[in-house]
């Protein structure tokens, strides 16, 4: 039996701007995993996951008609990952076979509630990884990233795929997404093996080293949020307020680029200043788009962290899920932990995950 796993992620900075090619974000992999096992089968295969089996499929109406929203359903990422990896395997001359595939997730809690740690990215990556081993494809990290990305784009469409990079590479990353139109156009014309082998415009995946005394704290608001919905909403408002949106992109770019330099210089205080700046920029994006990124709970989480010498902001798309805090290791964290708990914020005892640990 083959067993592989991929970690979840948290966005530290650069959210929303990072869906535009070339705009940087800082992302970190955390030590909660999705594990996939795969075993050869005969005549028919199966896909199984205890966590997702009773997961509802959300739907909405468009022009009155019922439309399924498959973007929050892990099965669709698994199916897309199988589809693209098998296409690649065929091009590499492999013979396809039947298998039983099982998914075990630590990224969702026992009630099936999402922590917002990026289960769709991790489930896509771990499925590709499992098939990589099953068909002996010997994919490099970059090839794994690109294959998982093609599958993810096929289901979600509007994401940056930063969660996939975090899941593949681990640790802290500076990430900018590739030109999605370019890749999708090539996908129509080229073999997958050729597309995977070519350089993708604007893509940047660069490991970062965190300053030695930097400590990451994570608080969970307990309310789940749908990233793809929130990104859709921000995009819809964008057309009316193009100038303000462009300014947001420019400011986010400058803020995160400086934060990446502060990481490289090992300057925690400067990193903290940029976290606060990024929080202000996301508040401006809320003014532009009317999309609530920092909910009341996230505000509480951040304000309490600031009171206890941390620099805090929402993580990812916001609207619920988690907030992150950057503190100096030398500062005590217990007062903040109890203040959070009193305020109904759950501290998540997670750590940065580095590959090979
Ligand atoms: O909510 P999360 O942790 O899935 O993060 C979403 C981050 C966005 O920039 C808003 C979207 C994306 O795909 O990068
Ligand atoms: Mg989220």
């Amino acid at each position: 039996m083959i067993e592989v796993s991929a970690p979840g992620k948290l966005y530290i900075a650069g959210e929303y701007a990072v869906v535009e090619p070339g705009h940087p974000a800082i992302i970190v992999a955390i030590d909660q995993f999705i594990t996939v096992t795969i075993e050869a089968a005969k005549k028919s295969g199966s896909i199984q996951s205890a966590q997702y089996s009773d997961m509802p499929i959300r739907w909405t109406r468009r022009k009155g008609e019922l439309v399924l929203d498959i973007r929050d359903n892990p099965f669709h990422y698994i199916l897309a990952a199988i589809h693209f990896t098998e296409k690649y395997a065929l091009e590499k001359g492999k013979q396809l076979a039947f298998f039983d595939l099982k998914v075990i997730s630590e990224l969702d809690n026992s009630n099936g509630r999402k922590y917002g740690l990026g289960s769709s990215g991790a489930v896509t990556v771990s499925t590709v990884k499992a098939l990589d081993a099953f068909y002996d494809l010997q994919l490099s990290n970059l090839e794994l990233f690109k294959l998982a990305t093609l599958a993810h784009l096929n289901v979600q469409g509007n994401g940056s795929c930063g969660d996939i990079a975090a899941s593949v590479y681990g640790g802290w990353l500076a990430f900018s997404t590739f030109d999605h139109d370019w890749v999708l156009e090539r996908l129509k014309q080229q073999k997958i093996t050729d597309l995977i082998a070519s350089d993708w415009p604007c893509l940047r995946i660069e490991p970062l080293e965190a300053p030695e005394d930097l400590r990451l704290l994570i608080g969970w608001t307990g309310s789940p949020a749908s990233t793809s919905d929130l990104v859709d909403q921000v995009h819809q408002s964008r057309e009316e307020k193009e100038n303000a949106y462009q300014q947001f992109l420019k400011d986010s770019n400058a803020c995160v680029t400086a934060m990446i330099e502060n990481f490289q210089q090992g300057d925690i205080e400067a990193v903290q200043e940029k976290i606060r700046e990024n929080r202000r920029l996301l508040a401006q994006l809320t003014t532009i788009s009317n999309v609530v990124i920092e909910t009341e709970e996230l505000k509480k989480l951040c304000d309490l962290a600031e009171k206890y010498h941390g620099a805090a902001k929402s993580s990812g798309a916001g609207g619920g899920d988690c907030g992150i805090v950057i503190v100096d290791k030398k500062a005590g964290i217990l007062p903040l932990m109890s203040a959070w708990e009193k305020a109904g914020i759950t501290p998540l005892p997670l750590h940065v995950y580095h590959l090979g640990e």
Side-chain angles (χ1 to χ4, degrees):
M1 190 179 70
I2 291 162
E3 180 177 312
V4 299
S5 51
K9 62 86 192 57
L10 277 170
Y11 276 85
I12 302 299
E15 296 91 340
Y16 288 101
V18 68
V19 298
E20 308 283 348
H23 290 70
I26 297 181
I27 313 171
V28 72
I30 42 105
D31 60 350
Q32 290 286 294
F33 300 88
I34 288 204
T35 300
V36 168
T37 64
I38 192 165
E39 223 167 346
K42 285 191 186 126
K43 287 195 183 147
S44 69
S46 65
I47 301 171
Q48 189 192 340
S49 171
Q51 291 83 9
Y52 307 138
S53 55
D54 57 358
M55 194 175 209
I57 297 190
R58 294 183 321 129
W59 56 270
T60 176
R61 287 194 192 281
R62 240 170 260 146
K63 295 192 186 125
E65 295 278 325
L66 184 151
V67 190
L68 294 183
D69 189 345
I70 58 168
R71 298 175 303 182
D72 288 330
N73 189 298
F75 273 110
H76 291 274
Y77 294 94
I78 297 169
L79 292 177
I82 295 173
H83 171 76
F84 281 99
T85 314
E86 288 205 328
K87 228 169 149 181
Y88 179 90
L90 271 180
E91 288 179 16
K92 288 276 180 190
K94 305 283 176 183
Q95 191 157 14
L96 300 186
F98 287 102
F99 51 81
D100 295 319
L101 187 143
K102 231 186 244 181
V103 183
I104 304 149
S105 171
E106 293 178 346
L107 299 182
D108 308 84
N109 77 9
S110 50
N111 305 321
R113 284 168 81 187
K114 293 210 309 183
Y115 290 116
L117 300 173
S119 38
S120 66
V123 86
T124 313
V125 170
S126 46
T127 305
V128 177
K129 252 182 164 177
L131 289 168
D132 172 30
F134 187 69
Y135 288 121
D136 189 26
L137 301 173
Q138 300 183 10
L139 297 171
S140 67
N141 278 345
L142 187 57
E143 290 166 340
L144 172 61
F145 168 83
K146 287 176 174 172
L147 260 181
T149 286
L150 293 179
H152 203 265
L153 279 182
N154 213 259
V155 183
Q156 189 179 325
N158 67 5
S160 67
C161 297
D163 51 349
I164 294 184
S167 245
V168 169
Y169 288 86
W172 296 83
L173 291 181
F175 173 82
S176 301
T177 201
F178 49 89
D179 181 339
H180 292 204
D181 294 338
W182 183 92
V183 168
L184 291 173
E185 202 42 51
R186 289 294 169 110
L187 184 61
K188 287 188 210 147
Q189 307 160 4
Q190 267 186 329
K191 282 170 104 182
I192 296 208
T193 36
D194 292 337
L195 179 55
I196 298 284
S198 55
D199 280 339
W200 289 11
C202 301
L203 175 63
R204 171 187 186 190
I205 305 174
E206 208 177 288
L208 284 180
E209 212 168 302
E212 206 174 306
D213 285 334
L214 182 150
R215 181 165 190 165
L216 171 68
L217 303 177
I218 302 153
W220 184 46
T221 60
S223 35
S226 166
T227 297
S228 40
D229 261 8
L230 288 157
V231 174
D232 275 353
Q233 288 174 37
V234 167
H235 262 251
Q236 275 156 17
S237 68
R238 172 193 163 160
E239 275 133 42
E240 302 150 28
K241 305 212 174 138
E242 190 57 30
N243 288 346
Y245 183 74
Q246 289 303 332
Q247 189 61 45
F248 163 75
L249 291 183
K250 216 168 130 201
D251 293 343
S252 176
N253 205 339
C255 173
V256 181
T257 301
M259 199 187 299
I260 292 169
E261 277 164 24
N262 300 150
F263 261 74
Q264 287 155 346
Q265 297 150 350
D267 187 343
I268 299 189
E269 272 177 40
V271 169
Q272 288 183 313
E273 270 320 304
K274 305 304 178 306
I275 291 282
R276 296 182 181 116
E277 165 80 18
N278 199 182
R279 183 181 177 197
R280 285 191 288 272
L281 293 175
L282 288 167
Q284 281 171 19
L285 182 61
T286 290
T287 313
I288 299 168
S289 64
N290 280 328
V291 175
V292 178
I293 298 169
E294 187 174 299
T295 58
E296 278 305 311
E297 280 104 355
L298 282 168
K299 180 172 178 342
K300 225 165 26 184
L301 182 159
C302 294
D303 291 347
L304 283 171
E306 290 292 342
K307 194 170 151 195
Y308 294 101
H309 316 296
K313 60 183 276 301
S314 54
S315 169
D321 288 343
C322 295
I324 54 108
V325 187
I326 301 291
V327 285
D328 193 309
K329 267 187 192 155
K330 294 191 280 287
I333 59 164
L334 289 179
L336 172 59
M337 297 295 105
S338 25
W340 268 0
E341 286 190 31
K342 268 192 214 128
I345 305 295
T346 312
L348 297 183
L350 306 174
H351 306 96
V352 177
Y353 171 74
H354 294 277
L355 234 55
E357 268 178 3

